[in-house]
Amino acid sequence: MIDTDELAKRNAGFADGGSFANLKLMPSGSLTVIGCVDPRVDPSDVLGLKLGEAAMIRNVGGRVTPATLRTLEMLSKVVQARTGGPRPGDVHYAVLHHTDCGITDLAAFPELLADYFEAPAGDLDAKAVTDPVAAVRVDVEILKQKLPAGAFVSGLVYDVATGHIDVVVPPTRVEHDAARRLRPARPPWARGLYRELHSWPVVSTGRHFLACATTTGTRRPRRRGQRLAPRRDRLSTR
């Protein structure tokens, strides 16, 4: 067992080295790694990262869970508080999974995994917990849907037997359909009504545009100042 005396001794050696001096809160490599808690898969060692180059989020399996997304949201608020806005420049989020991961043993405990992923047990197959290659693709797709446009996302799988990583998903820039994201969703009950209202023709009488309702082929133009009361048989709230 490594006790606190040993930890203090090792920390003294670290402090004497001075590698911590003048480091900034923001990772100098503009990199965030989401990895597993497995002691064989420390991202700093596996990826050769220096102190201060990357932020690390580690959990069981290195999975992008709702808790992971909440952590990323909190980190984004820290960045805003420190810089007054989003992190400048390109930002890279790397998901690091690995072979022989202990999360595969949890497949026998679906209730536990359902709590972990905050998802119904029936949806666990989509999480691919027994296949690190498929799982890293799943998590990359989640990040692509949740991260702001312009960020880069990649997926890596580390082989604990060879020490090498496989780049399953090369760095991919997050892109969103801005118009679709900003367009407010209509409630289901209003969709039929929306279609009906936008199917009414618009006619012009001089300087004024008036709405008309079409019923059985007959147009009923609205007189100026008159409120149009559409017939019940022309409205739908499906």
Side-chain angles (χ1 to χ4, degrees), residues 60-142:
V60 176
R63 300 307 304 262
V64 177
T65 65
T68 307
L69 296 175
R70 290 191 289 268
T71 298
L72 290 174
E73 176 64 19
M74 294 173 70
L75 292 178
S76 72
K77 298 303 182 184
V78 172
V79 172
Q80 292 178 20
R82 291 296 183 101
T83 66
R87 186 184 303 175
D90 293 333
V91 183
H92 180 195
Y93 295 83
V95 182
L96 177 64
H97 291 185
H98 66 94
T99 60
D100 191 35
C101 185
I103 198 172
T104 61
D105 299 312
L106 299 179
F109 304 94
E111 295 82 6
L112 185 62
L113 285 176
D115 288 341
Y116 182 57
F117 287 108
E118 299 181 30
D123 294 344
L124 291 178
D125 286 346
K127 297 300 182 181
V129 295
T130 60
D131 183 347
V133 174
V136 83
R137 293 185 187 277
V138 169
D139 286 351
V140 165
E141 286 302 315
I142 294 174

Coordinates of all heavy atoms in Angstrom, one line a residue, residues 60-142:
V60 N -15.7 5.6 -15.1 CA -15.7 4.1 -15.4 C -16.0 4.0 -16.9 O -17.0 4.4 -17.4 CB -16.8 3.4 -14.6 CG1 -16.8 1.9 -15.1 CG2 -16.5 3.5 -13.1
G61 N -15.0 3.5 -17.6 CA -15.1 3.3 -19.1 C -14.8 4.5 -19.9 O -14.8 4.4 -21.2
G62 N -14.6 5.6 -19.3 CA -14.3 6.8 -20.1 C -15.5 7.2 -21.0 O -15.4 7.8 -22.1
R63 N -16.7 7.0 -20.4 CA -17.9 7.2 -21.2 C -18.5 8.6 -21.1 O -18.3 9.3 -20.0 CB -19.0 6.2 -20.7 CG -18.7 4.8 -20.8 CD -18.2 4.4 -22.2 NE -19.2 4.7 -23.3 CZ -20.0 3.9 -23.8 NH1 -20.1 2.6 -23.4 NH2 -20.9 4.3 -24.7
V64 N -19.2 9.0 -22.1 CA -19.8 10.3 -22.1 C -21.2 10.1 -21.6 O -22.2 9.8 -22.3 CB -19.9 11.0 -23.6 CG1 -20.6 12.3 -23.5 CG2 -18.4 11.2 -24.1
T65 N -21.4 10.3 -20.3 CA -22.7 10.1 -19.6 C -23.3 11.5 -19.4 O -22.6 12.5 -19.6 CB -22.4 9.4 -18.3 OG1 -21.7 10.3 -17.4 CG2 -21.7 8.1 -18.4
P66 N -24.5 11.5 -18.9 CA -25.1 12.8 -18.6 C -24.3 13.6 -17.5 O -24.1 14.8 -17.6 CB -26.5 12.5 -18.0 CG -26.8 11.2 -18.8 CD -25.6 10.5 -18.9
A67 N -23.6 12.8 -16.6 CA -22.8 13.5 -15.6 C -21.5 14.1 -16.3 O -21.1 15.2 -15.9 CB -22.3 12.5 -14.6
T68 N -21.0 13.4 -17.3 CA -19.9 14.0 -18.1 C -20.3 15.3 -18.7 O -19.5 16.3 -18.7 CB -19.4 13.0 -19.1 OG1 -19.1 11.7 -18.5 CG2 -18.1 13.5 -19.8
L69 N -21.5 15.3 -19.3 CA -21.9 16.5 -20.0 C -22.1 17.7 -19.0 O -21.8 18.8 -19.3 CB -23.2 16.2 -20.8 CG -23.1 15.2 -21.9 CD1 -24.5 14.9 -22.5 CD2 -22.2 15.7 -23.0
R70 N -22.6 17.3 -17.8 CA -22.8 18.4 -16.8 C -21.4 18.9 -16.4 O -21.3 20.1 -16.1 CB -23.5 17.8 -15.6 CG -25.0 17.5 -15.9 CD -25.8 17.2 -14.6 NE -25.5 16.0 -14.0 CZ -26.1 14.8 -14.3 NH1 -27.1 14.8 -15.2 NH2 -25.8 13.7 -13.7
T71 N -20.4 18.0 -16.3 CA -19.1 18.5 -16.0 C -18.5 19.4 -17.0 O -17.9 20.5 -16.7 CB -18.1 17.3 -15.8 OG1 -18.6 16.5 -14.7 CG2 -16.7 17.7 -15.5
L72 N -18.7 19.1 -18.3 CA -18.3 19.9 -19.4 C -19.0 21.3 -19.3 O -18.4 22.3 -19.6 CB -18.5 19.2 -20.7 CG -17.7 18.0 -21.0 CD1 -18.1 17.3 -22.3 CD2 -16.2 18.4 -21.1
E73 N -20.3 21.3 -19.0 CA -21.0 22.5 -18.9 C -20.4 23.4 -17.8 O -20.3 24.6 -17.9 CB -22.5 22.3 -18.6 CG -23.3 23.5 -18.4 CD -23.4 24.4 -19.6 OE1 -23.1 23.9 -20.8 OE2 -23.8 25.6 -19.5
M74 N -20.1 22.8 -16.6 CA -19.5 23.5 -15.5 C -18.1 24.1 -15.9 O -17.8 25.2 -15.6 CB -19.3 22.6 -14.3 CG -20.7 22.2 -13.7 SD -20.5 20.9 -12.4 CE -19.7 21.9 -11.1
L75 N -17.3 23.3 -16.7 CA -16.0 23.8 -17.1 C -16.2 25.0 -18.1 O -15.4 25.9 -18.0 CB -15.3 22.7 -17.8 CG -14.8 21.5 -16.9 CD1 -14.1 20.4 -17.7 CD2 -13.9 22.0 -15.7
S76 N -17.2 24.9 -18.9 CA -17.4 26.0 -19.8 C -17.7 27.3 -19.1 O -17.3 28.4 -19.5 CB -18.5 25.7 -20.8 OG -19.8 25.7 -20.2
K77 N -18.4 27.2 -17.9 CA -18.7 28.4 -17.1 C -17.5 28.9 -16.4 O -17.3 30.1 -16.3 CB -19.8 28.0 -16.1 CG -21.1 27.6 -16.6 CD -21.7 28.6 -17.6 CE -23.1 28.2 -18.1 NZ -23.6 29.2 -19.1
V78 N -16.6 28.0 -16.1 CA -15.3 28.4 -15.5 C -14.5 29.3 -16.5 O -14.0 30.3 -16.2 CB -14.5 27.2 -15.0 CG1 -13.1 27.7 -14.6 CG2 -15.1 26.5 -13.9
V79 N -14.5 28.8 -17.8 CA -13.8 29.5 -18.8 C -14.4 30.9 -19.0 O -13.7 31.9 -19.1 CB -13.9 28.7 -20.2 CG1 -13.3 29.5 -21.3 CG2 -13.1 27.4 -20.0
Q80 N -15.8 30.9 -19.0 CA -16.4 32.2 -19.2 C -16.1 33.2 -18.1 O -15.9 34.4 -18.3 CB -17.9 32.0 -19.3 CG -18.4 31.3 -20.6 CD -19.9 31.1 -20.6 OE1 -20.6 31.8 -19.9 NE2 -20.3 30.1 -21.4
A81 N -16.0 32.6 -16.8 CA -15.7 33.5 -15.7 C -14.3 34.0 -15.7 O -14.1 35.2 -15.3 CB -16.0 32.7 -14.4
R82 N -13.4 33.2 -16.2 CA -12.0 33.6 -16.3 C -11.6 34.5 -17.5 O -10.7 35.3 -17.4 CB -11.1 32.4 -16.3 CG -11.1 31.6 -15.0 CD -10.5 32.4 -13.8 NE -10.5 31.7 -12.6 CZ -9.4 31.1 -12.1 NH1 -8.2 31.2 -12.7 NH2 -9.4 30.4 -10.9
T83 N -12.3 34.3 -18.6 CA -12.0 34.9 -19.8 C -13.0 35.9 -20.3 O -12.7 36.7 -21.3 CB -11.7 33.9 -20.9 OG1 -12.9 33.2 -21.3 CG2 -10.6 32.9 -20.5
G84 N -14.2 35.9 -19.8 CA -15.3 36.7 -20.2 C -16.0 36.2 -21.5 O -16.8 37.0 -22.1
G85 N -15.7 35.0 -21.9 CA -16.3 34.5 -23.1 C -15.9 33.1 -23.3 O -15.2 32.5 -22.5
P86 N -16.3 32.5 -24.5 CA -15.8 31.1 -24.8 C -14.3 31.0 -24.9 O -13.6 32.0 -25.2 CB -16.5 30.8 -26.1 CG -16.8 32.1 -26.7 CD -17.0 33.0 -25.6
R87 N -13.8 29.8 -24.8 CA -12.3 29.6 -24.9 C -11.9 30.0 -26.4 O -12.5 29.5 -27.3 CB -12.0 28.2 -24.7 CG -10.5 27.9 -24.6 CD -10.2 26.4 -24.5 NE -10.8 25.9 -23.2 CZ -10.8 24.6 -22.9 NH1 -10.2 23.7 -23.7 NH2 -11.3 24.2 -21.8
P88 N -10.9 30.9 -26.5 CA -10.5 31.3 -27.8 C -9.8 30.2 -28.6 O -9.1 29.3 -28.0 CB -9.6 32.5 -27.5 CG -9.0 32.2 -26.2 CD -10.1 31.5 -25.4
G89 N -9.9 30.2 -29.9 CA -9.1 29.3 -30.8 C -9.8 27.9 -30.8 O -10.9 27.7 -30.3
D90 N -9.2 27.0 -31.5 CA -9.7 25.6 -31.7 C -9.6 24.8 -30.3 O -8.6 25.0 -29.6 CB -8.9 24.9 -32.8 CG -9.2 25.5 -34.1 OD1 -10.3 26.1 -34.3 OD2 -8.3 25.4 -35.0
V91 N -10.6 24.0 -30.1 CA -10.6 23.2 -28.8 C -10.8 21.8 -29.3 O -11.7 21.5 -30.1 CB -11.7 23.7 -27.9 CG1 -11.7 22.9 -26.6 CG2 -11.5 25.2 -27.6
H92 N -10.1 20.9 -28.7 CA -10.2 19.5 -29.0 C -10.6 18.6 -27.8 O -10.0 18.7 -26.7 CB -8.8 19.0 -29.5 CG -8.7 17.6 -29.9 ND1 -7.5 16.9 -30.1 CD2 -9.7 16.7 -30.2 CE1 -7.8 15.6 -30.4 NE2 -9.1 15.5 -30.5
Y93 N -11.7 17.8 -28.0 CA -12.2 16.9 -27.0 C -11.9 15.5 -27.5 O -12.4 15.1 -28.6 CB -13.7 17.1 -26.8 CG -14.0 18.4 -26.2 CD1 -14.2 19.5 -27.1 CD2 -14.2 18.6 -24.9 CE1 -14.5 20.8 -26.5 CE2 -14.5 19.8 -24.3 CZ -14.7 20.9 -25.2 OH -15.0 22.1 -24.6
A94 N -11.0 14.7 -26.8 CA -10.6 13.4 -27.2 C -11.3 12.4 -26.2 O -11.1 12.5 -25.0 CB -9.1 13.2 -27.2
V95 N -12.0 11.4 -26.8 CA -12.6 10.4 -26.0 C -11.6 9.2 -26.1 O -11.3 8.7 -27.2 CB -14.0 10.0 -26.5 CG1 -14.6 8.9 -25.6 CG2 -14.9 11.2 -26.5
L96 N -11.1 8.7 -24.9 CA -10.1 7.6 -24.9 C -10.7 6.4 -24.2 O -10.9 6.4 -23.0 CB -8.9 8.1 -24.1 CG -7.8 7.1 -23.9 CD1 -7.2 6.6 -25.2 CD2 -6.7 7.7 -23.0
H97 N -11.0 5.4 -25.0 CA -11.4 4.1 -24.4 C -10.3 3.1 -24.6 O -9.2 3.4 -25.1 CB -12.7 3.5 -25.2 CG -13.9 4.3 -24.9 ND1 -15.1 4.0 -25.4 CD2 -14.1 5.5 -24.2 CE1 -16.0 4.9 -25.0 NE2 -15.4 5.8 -24.3
H98 N -10.4 1.9 -24.0 CA -9.3 1.0 -24.1 C -9.8 -0.5 -24.1 O -11.0 -0.8 -23.7 CB -8.4 1.2 -22.9 CG -8.9 0.9 -21.6 ND1 -8.8 -0.3 -20.9 CD2 -9.7 1.6 -20.7 CE1 -9.4 -0.3 -19.8 NE2 -10.0 0.9 -19.6
T99 N -9.0 -1.4 -24.5 CA -9.3 -2.8 -24.5 C -9.2 -3.3 -23.0 O -8.7 -2.7 -22.1 CB -8.3 -3.6 -25.3 OG1 -6.9 -3.4 -24.8 CG2 -8.3 -3.1 -26.7
D100 N -9.8 -4.5 -22.8 CA -9.9 -5.1 -21.5 C -10.4 -4.2 -20.4 O -9.9 -4.1 -19.3 CB -8.5 -5.6 -21.1 CG -8.5 -6.5 -19.9 OD1 -9.5 -7.3 -19.7 OD2 -7.6 -6.5 -19.0
C101 N -11.4 -3.4 -20.8 CA -12.0 -2.4 -19.8 C -12.9 -3.1 -18.8 O -13.7 -4.0 -19.2 CB -12.7 -1.3 -20.6 SG -13.4 0.0 -19.5
G102 N -12.9 -2.7 -17.6 CA -13.7 -3.3 -16.6 C -15.2 -3.1 -16.8 O -16.0 -3.8 -16.2
I103 N -15.6 -2.1 -17.6 CA -17.0 -1.8 -17.8 C -17.7 -3.0 -18.5 O -18.9 -3.1 -18.4 CB -17.2 -0.5 -18.5 CG1 -18.6 0.0 -18.4 CG2 -16.8 -0.6 -20.0 CD1 -18.9 1.4 -18.9
T104 N -16.9 -3.8 -19.2 CA -17.5 -4.9 -19.9 C -18.0 -5.9 -18.9 O -19.0 -6.6 -19.2 CB -16.5 -5.6 -20.8 OG1 -15.4 -6.1 -20.0 CG2 -15.9 -4.6 -21.8
D105 N -17.4 -6.0 -17.7 CA -17.9 -6.9 -16.7 C -19.3 -6.4 -16.1 O -20.0 -7.2 -15.5 CB -16.9 -7.0 -15.5 CG -15.6 -7.6 -16.0 OD1 -15.6 -8.6 -16.8 OD2 -14.5 -7.0 -15.7
L106 N -19.6 -5.2 -16.3 CA -20.8 -4.6 -15.7 C -22.0 -4.9 -16.6 O -23.2 -4.6 -16.3 CB -20.7 -3.1 -15.5 CG -19.6 -2.7 -14.5 CD1 -19.6 -1.2 -14.4 CD2 -19.8 -3.3 -13.2
A107 N -21.8 -5.5 -17.8 CA -22.9 -5.9 -18.7 C -23.9 -6.9 -17.9 O -25.1 -6.9 -18.3 CB -22.4 -6.5 -19.9
A108 N -23.4 -7.6 -16.9 CA -24.2 -8.5 -16.2 C -25.0 -7.8 -15.1 O -25.8 -8.4 -14.4 CB -23.3 -9.5 -15.5
F109 N -24.9 -6.4 -15.0 CA -25.6 -5.7 -14.0 C -26.3 -4.5 -14.8 O -25.9 -3.3 -14.6 CB -24.7 -5.1 -13.0 CG -23.9 -6.2 -12.3 CD1 -22.6 -6.5 -12.7 CD2 -24.4 -6.9 -11.2 CE1 -21.9 -7.5 -12.1 CE2 -23.7 -7.9 -10.6 CZ -22.4 -8.2 -11.0
P110 N -27.4 -4.8 -15.5 CA -28.0 -3.8 -16.3 C -28.6 -2.6 -15.5 O -28.6 -1.5 -16.0 CB -29.1 -4.5 -17.1 CG -29.3 -5.8 -16.3 CD -28.0 -6.1 -15.7
E111 N -29.1 -3.0 -14.3 CA -29.7 -1.9 -13.5 C -28.7 -0.9 -13.1 O -28.9 0.3 -13.1 CB -30.4 -2.5 -12.2 CG -31.6 -3.4 -12.5 CD -31.2 -4.8 -12.9 OE1 -30.0 -5.1 -12.8 OE2 -32.1 -5.6 -13.3
L112 N -27.5 -1.4 -12.8 CA -26.4 -0.5 -12.4 C -26.0 0.4 -13.6 O -25.8 1.6 -13.4 CB -25.2 -1.3 -11.9 CG -24.0 -0.5 -11.4 CD1 -24.4 0.3 -10.1 CD2 -22.9 -1.5 -11.0
L113 N -25.9 -0.2 -14.8 CA -25.5 0.6 -15.9 C -26.6 1.6 -16.3 O -26.3 2.7 -16.8 CB -25.2 -0.4 -17.1 CG -23.9 -1.1 -17.1 CD1 -23.8 -2.1 -18.2 CD2 -22.7 -0.2 -17.1
A114 N -27.9 1.2 -16.1 CA -29.0 2.1 -16.5 C -28.9 3.3 -15.6 O -29.1 4.4 -16.1 CB -30.3 1.4 -16.3
D115 N -28.5 3.1 -14.3 CA -28.4 4.3 -13.4 C -27.2 5.1 -13.9 O -27.2 6.4 -13.9 CB -28.2 3.9 -12.0 CG -29.4 3.3 -11.4 OD1 -30.5 3.6 -11.9 OD2 -29.3 2.6 -10.4
Y116 N -26.1 4.5 -14.3 CA -24.9 5.2 -14.7 C -25.1 6.0 -15.9 O -24.7 7.2 -16.0 CB -23.8 4.1 -15.0 CG -22.5 4.7 -15.4 CD1 -21.8 5.6 -14.5 CD2 -21.8 4.3 -16.6 CE1 -20.5 6.1 -14.9 CE2 -20.6 4.8 -16.9 CZ -20.0 5.7 -16.1 OH -18.7 6.2 -16.4
F117 N -25.8 5.5 -16.9 CA -26.1 6.2 -18.2 C -27.3 7.0 -18.1 O -27.6 7.8 -19.0 CB -26.2 5.2 -19.3 CG -24.9 4.6 -19.8 CD1 -24.6 3.3 -19.5 CD2 -23.9 5.4 -20.4 CE1 -23.4 2.8 -19.9 CE2 -22.7 4.9 -20.8 CZ -22.4 3.5 -20.6
E118 N -28.1 6.9 -17.0 CA -29.4 7.6 -16.8 C -30.3 7.3 -18.0 O -30.8 8.2 -18.6 CB -29.1 9.1 -16.6 CG -28.3 9.4 -15.4 CD -28.1 10.9 -15.2 OE1 -28.9 11.7 -15.6 OE2 -27.0 11.3 -14.6
A119 N -30.4 6.0 -18.3 CA -31.2 5.6 -19.4 C -31.9 4.3 -19.1 O -31.5 3.6 -18.2 CB -30.3 5.4 -20.6
P120 N -33.0 4.0 -19.8 CA -33.7 2.8 -19.5 C -32.8 1.6 -19.8 O -32.0 1.6 -20.7 CB -34.9 2.8 -20.5 CG -35.1 4.3 -20.8 CD -33.7 4.8 -20.8
A121 N -33.0 0.5 -19.0 CA -32.2 -0.7 -19.2 C -32.3 -1.3 -20.6 O -31.4 -1.8 -21.2 CB -32.6 -1.8 -18.2
G122 N -33.5 -1.0 -21.2 CA -33.7 -1.5 -22.6 C -32.9 -0.8 -23.7 O -32.8 -1.3 -24.8
D123 N -32.3 0.3 -23.3 CA -31.6 1.1 -24.3 C -30.1 0.9 -24.1 O -29.3 1.5 -24.8 CB -31.8 2.6 -24.1 CG -33.3 3.0 -24.4 OD1 -33.9 2.2 -25.1 OD2 -33.7 4.1 -24.0
L124 N -29.6 0.0 -23.3 CA -28.2 -0.2 -23.0 C -27.5 -0.8 -24.2 O -26.2 -0.6 -24.3 CB -28.0 -1.1 -21.8 CG -28.4 -0.5 -20.4 CD1 -28.3 -1.5 -19.3 CD2 -27.6 0.8 -20.2
D125 N -28.1 -1.6 -25.0 CA -27.4 -2.1 -26.2 C -26.8 -1.0 -27.0 O -25.7 -1.2 -27.6 CB -28.4 -3.0 -27.0 CG -28.7 -4.3 -26.4 OD1 -28.0 -4.7 -25.4 OD2 -29.7 -5.0 -26.8
A126 N -27.5 0.1 -27.1 CA -26.9 1.2 -27.9 C -25.7 1.8 -27.4 O -24.9 2.5 -28.1 CB -28.0 2.3 -28.1
K127 N -25.4 1.5 -26.1 CA -24.2 2.0 -25.5 C -22.9 1.2 -25.8 O -21.8 1.6 -25.5 CB -24.4 2.1 -23.9 CG -25.5 3.1 -23.5 CD -25.2 4.5 -24.0 CE -26.2 5.5 -23.6 NZ -26.0 6.9 -24.1
A128 N -23.1 0.0 -26.3 CA -22.0 -0.9 -26.7 C -20.9 -1.0 -25.7 O -19.7 -0.9 -26.0 CB -21.4 -0.3 -28.0
V129 N -21.3 -1.4 -24.4 CA -20.3 -1.4 -23.4 C -19.3 -2.6 -23.5 O -18.3 -2.5 -22.9 CB -21.1 -1.6 -22.0 CG1 -21.9 -0.3 -21.7 CG2 -21.9 -2.8 -21.9
T130 N -19.6 -3.5 -24.4 CA -18.6 -4.6 -24.5 C -17.7 -4.5 -25.7 O -16.9 -5.3 -25.9 CB -19.4 -6.0 -24.7 OG1 -20.2 -5.9 -25.8 CG2 -20.3 -6.3 -23.4
D131 N -17.9 -3.4 -26.4 CA -17.1 -3.1 -27.6 C -16.5 -1.7 -27.6 O -17.2 -0.8 -27.9 CB -17.9 -3.3 -28.9 CG -17.1 -3.1 -30.2 OD1 -16.0 -2.7 -30.1 OD2 -17.7 -3.5 -31.3
P132 N -15.2 -1.6 -27.2 CA -14.6 -0.2 -27.1 C -14.6 0.6 -28.4 O -14.7 1.8 -28.3 CB -13.2 -0.5 -26.6 CG -12.9 -1.9 -27.0 CD -14.2 -2.6 -26.9
V133 N -14.5 -0.1 -29.5 CA -14.5 0.7 -30.8 C -15.8 1.2 -31.1 O -16.0 2.4 -31.4 CB -14.0 -0.2 -31.9 CG1 -14.1 0.5 -33.3 CG2 -12.5 -0.7 -31.7
A134 N -16.9 0.4 -30.9 CA -18.2 0.9 -31.1 C -18.6 1.9 -30.1 O -19.3 2.9 -30.4 CB -19.2 -0.3 -31.1
A135 N -18.2 1.7 -28.9 CA -18.5 2.6 -27.8 C -17.9 4.0 -28.0 O -18.6 5.0 -27.7 CB -18.1 2.0 -26.4
V136 N -16.7 4.0 -28.5 CA -16.1 5.3 -28.6 C -16.8 6.1 -29.8 O -16.9 7.3 -29.7 CB -14.6 5.2 -28.9 CG1 -14.2 4.9 -30.3 CG2 -13.8 6.5 -28.4
R137 N -17.3 5.4 -30.8 CA -18.0 6.1 -31.8 C -19.3 6.6 -31.2 O -19.8 7.7 -31.6 CB -18.3 5.1 -32.9 CG -17.1 4.6 -33.7 CD -17.5 3.8 -34.9 NE -16.4 3.2 -35.6 CZ -15.7 3.8 -36.5 NH1 -16.0 5.1 -36.9 NH2 -14.6 3.2 -37.1
V138 N -20.0 5.9 -30.4 CA -21.2 6.3 -29.8 C -21.0 7.6 -29.0 O -21.7 8.6 -29.1 CB -21.8 5.2 -28.8 CG1 -22.9 5.8 -28.0 CG2 -22.3 4.0 -29.6
D139 N -19.9 7.6 -28.2 CA -19.7 8.8 -27.3 C -19.3 10.0 -28.2 O -19.6 11.1 -27.8 CB -18.6 8.4 -26.3 CG -19.2 7.6 -25.2 OD1 -20.4 7.3 -25.2 OD2 -18.4 7.1 -24.4
V140 N -18.5 9.8 -29.2 CA -18.2 10.9 -30.1 C -19.4 11.5 -30.7 O -19.5 12.8 -30.8 CB -17.2 10.4 -31.2 CG1 -17.1 11.5 -32.3 CG2 -15.8 10.2 -30.6
E141 N -20.4 10.7 -31.1 CA -21.6 11.2 -31.7 C -22.4 12.1 -30.7 O -23.0 13.1 -31.0 CB -22.5 10.1 -32.2 CG -21.9 9.5 -33.5 CD -21.8 10.5 -34.6 OE1 -22.7 11.3 -34.8 OE2 -20.7 10.5 -35.3
I142 N -22.4 11.6 -29.4 CA -23.1 12.4 -28.4 C -22.4 13.8 -28.2 O -23.1 14.8 -28.2 CB -23.0 11.6 -27.0 CG1 -23.8 10.4 -27.1 CG2 -23.5 12.5 -25.9 CD1 -23.7 9.5 -25.9

